């Protein structure tokens, strides 16, 4: 009689374990799918950042930071530009071309100053390329304020080519070390989270198997 009662309790315990395993299995599958999705999405983010921002950052030759002293800041010419005035409508406006020459303290040479990589690629002469608009007076005022600011604050931080092949320096970079770090931080956190989820699920499954083996041995 005692043996039959023990067998009934054993059968109930085994049934409860099967129910628990059956209930945990879908949750574990969803957790693993979540972890794999996070890993896949992080790799996609790495790919997008790699072909856009990281490529621009790696291709930039203006990597060394120094202090530039403004030698000359003058408006040399009027540049024509076009702005959108509607559907299939483009009109012409003008903005002044500001040329700025600086002396880099680390190299001692006089070089032309550009605002960033985009300005350097678009224009080989002008320091800053404003967005073209109808009101040319606003553009002239903007460039005049920039020129005055550079004359007052003659020492400005800048980036230059350490090899000395470039005849220009940059006031700012589109993507510096801090921007790249913050951009890579989020996909890295997502990748780490996805890996941790999968590792925790696998570790839980291992503990469950280990407990089952121990329970079989003790019986």
């Amino acid at each position: 009689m005692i043996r039959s009662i023990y067998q009934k309790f054993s059968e109930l315990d085994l049934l409860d374990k099967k129910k628990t395993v059956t209930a945990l299995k879908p949750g574990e599958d969803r957790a693993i799918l979540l972890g794999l999705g996070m890993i896949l999405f992080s790799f996609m983010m790495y790919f997008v950042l790699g072909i856009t921002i990281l490529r621009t950052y790696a291709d930039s030759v203006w990597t060394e930071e120094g202090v530039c002293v403004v030698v000359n800041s003058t408006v040399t010419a009027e540049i024509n530009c076009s702005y959108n005035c509607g559907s299939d409508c483009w009109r012409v406006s003008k903005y002044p071309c500001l040329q700025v020459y600086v002396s880099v303290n680390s190299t001692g040479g006089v070089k032309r100053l550009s605002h960033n990589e985009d300005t350097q690629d678009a224009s080989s002469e002008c320091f800053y390329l404003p967005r073209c608009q109808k009101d040319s007076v606003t553009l002239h005022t903007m460039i005049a304020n920039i020129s005055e600011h550079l004359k007052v604050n003659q020492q400005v931080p800048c980036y230059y080519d350490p090899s000395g092949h470039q005849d220009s320096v940059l006031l700012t970079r589109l993507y510096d070390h801090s921007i790249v770090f913050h951009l890579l931080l989020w996909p890295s956190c997502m990748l780490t989270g996805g890996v941790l989820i999968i590792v925790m699920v696998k570790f839980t499954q291992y503990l469950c198997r280990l407990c089952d083996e121990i329970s079989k041995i003790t019986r």
Side-chain angles (χ1 to χ4, degrees):
M1 182 177 179
I2 296 175
R3 181 176 297 178
S4 62
I5 294 174
Y6 174 76
Q7 288 178 351
K8 288 182 179 180
F9 276 111
S10 299
E11 291 175 357
L12 289 174
D13 184 50
L14 182 61
L15 183 61
D16 289 339
K17 288 184 177 179
K18 288 182 178 179
K19 288 181 179 179
T20 303
V21 172
T22 304
L24 289 176
K25 194 67 171 63
E28 292 173 350
D29 291 340
R30 286 193 291 268
I32 291 178
L33 288 176
L34 175 62
L36 291 176
M38 293 173 65
I39 293 174
L40 178 62
F41 188 71
S42 64
F43 279 124
M44 292 175 60
M45 292 178 66
Y46 280 130
F47 176 75
V48 173
L49 292 174
I51 62 176
T52 55
I53 296 175
L54 293 181
R55 183 175 181 180
T56 303
Y57 172 79
D59 291 343
S60 179
V61 297
W62 295 273
T63 56
E64 292 294 329
E65 186 174 1
V67 177
C68 291
V69 179
V70 178
V71 177
N72 187 19
S73 174
T74 57
V75 175
T76 58
E78 294 284 331
I79 305 297
N80 292 327
C81 64
S82 58
Y83 62 92
N84 190 356
C85 56
S87 178
D88 297 329
C89 174
W90 293 89
R91 292 184 180 178
V92 177
S93 183
K94 292 184 177 182
Y95 66 89
C97 178
L98 176 64
Q99 286 188 353
V100 181
Y101 288 91
V102 295
S103 175
V104 185
N105 65 341
S106 301
T107 61
V110 176
K111 296 181 180 294
R112 181 176 49 82
L113 182 66
S114 292
H115 184 244
N116 53 34
E117 289 92 343
D118 285 346
T119 306
Q120 169 63 25
D121 294 338
S123 174
S124 60
E125 298 296 334
C126 304
F127 163 74
Y128 180 71
L129 300 180
R131 183 178 180 180
C132 191
Q133 54 182 294
K134 179 180 180 180
D135 189 4
S136 60
V137 177
T138 302
L139 297 177
H140 282 73
T141 304
M142 180 190 304
I143 298 300
N145 291 336
I146 294 174
S147 178
E148 187 65 25
H149 177 76
L150 292 174
K151 289 178 180 178
V152 173
N153 303 282
Q154 292 190 342
Q155 289 190 352
V156 293
C158 60
Y159 296 90
Y160 64 94
D161 179 12
S163 64
H165 295 157
Q166 298 292 328
D167 60 351
S168 62
V169 295
L170 304 181
L171 180 65
T172 60
R173 295 184 64 183
L174 289 173
Y175 310 109
D176 56 10
H177 301 288
S178 61
I179 294 177
V180 172
F181 172 77
H182 286 94
L183 288 174
L184 293 178
L185 179 62
W186 298 112
S188 300
C189 291
M190 185 172 293
L191 175 63
T192 304
V195 172
L196 286 177
I197 290 175
I198 295 176
V199 170
M200 290 176 64
V201 171
K202 292 299 181 182
F203 184 67
T204 304
Q205 291 176 346
Y206 169 75
L207 291 179
C208 290
R209 289 194 299 267
L210 186 62
C211 291
D212 289 340
E213 292 176 0
I214 294 175
S215 62
K216 290 178 182 179
I217 294 174
T218 55
R219 289 176 188 174

